Amino acid sequence: MNLEGRKIIVNKSSKDLVEILKSPENYKDFMPDGLQKFETREDGFKFGLQGMPEIALKIDEVTDEKAVLKSASSNLDFSLTAALHPLNENQTEVQMLFEGKFNPFIKMMVEKPLQNFINTLTDKIEAYK
């Protein structure tokens, strides 16, 4: 299952964004409003949203072109990538890309909430100061 967020322009250099996305604490700023729990770990974070199970993510890779978060649970196989495309020294185009391997039943249950989550992440990153 693949999902995409809309492409946005963030008024930060790709180097600044890379520094932000390397740090687990900064992801709290991008979470939806229904956040009920947020715990950082050395290599990632765990969060809980109202009405959803807790999700643990590890920061797998951060380069000038992308930041990749992967599921920290062996039960779920997915990744969430922020694709970074520098436009100039003060602006970067960002697009959230979700890739997951789910059976058809799980896919049917999670597709809409995941798309909403990606849309919220996109909005929060776009508004990030």
Side-chain angles (χ1 to χ4, degrees):
M1 177 173 83
N2 296 326
L3 300 171
E4 295 182 359
R6 63 187 171 86
K7 290 181 180 179
I8 57 170
I9 295 174
V10 178
N11 291 319
K12 292 202 176 299
S13 71
S14 62
K15 286 189 190 317
D16 288 345
L17 277 176
V18 164
E19 287 308 308
I20 291 165
L21 297 173
K22 278 183 183 175
S23 176
E25 299 85 29
N26 292 332
Y27 286 86
K28 185 173 186 178
D29 295 333
F30 305 135
M31 291 291 118
D33 294 335
L35 187 67
Q36 295 192 314
K37 180 179 187 175
F38 189 89
E39 293 175 4
T40 59
R41 300 169 176 189
E42 185 179 317
D43 64 344
F45 57 94
K46 181 183 199 178
F47 68 97
L49 298 172
Q50 191 171 342
M52 288 180 64
E54 287 182 9
I55 298 172
L57 296 172
K58 66 179 182 174
I59 300 171
D60 188 58
E61 177 185 8
V62 181
T63 68
D64 288 345
E65 292 88 36
K66 64 185 173 182
V68 180
L69 303 176
K70 290 202 171 177
S71 171
S73 166
S74 58
N75 297 342
L76 297 171
D77 183 11
F78 70 87
S79 66
L80 181 61
T81 302
L84 309 174
H85 178 73
L87 299 175
N88 57 49
E89 60 183 55
N90 296 315
Q91 290 185 316
T92 306
E93 182 182 80
V94 179
Q95 184 177 28
M96 300 303 297
L97 306 168
F98 177 90
E99 222 177 292
K101 295 183 178 119
F102 301 119
N103 69 45
F105 179 72
I106 298 290
K107 179 185 176 194
M108 185 178 71
M109 286 178 40
V110 301
E111 191 166 16
K112 188 173 181 188
L114 276 173
Q115 186 66 58
N116 290 339
F117 179 68
I118 289 167
N119 293 344
T120 300
L121 286 179
T122 300
D123 292 346
K124 297 264 185 164
I125 291 169
E126 187 174 35
Y128 189 75
K129 300 287 181 218

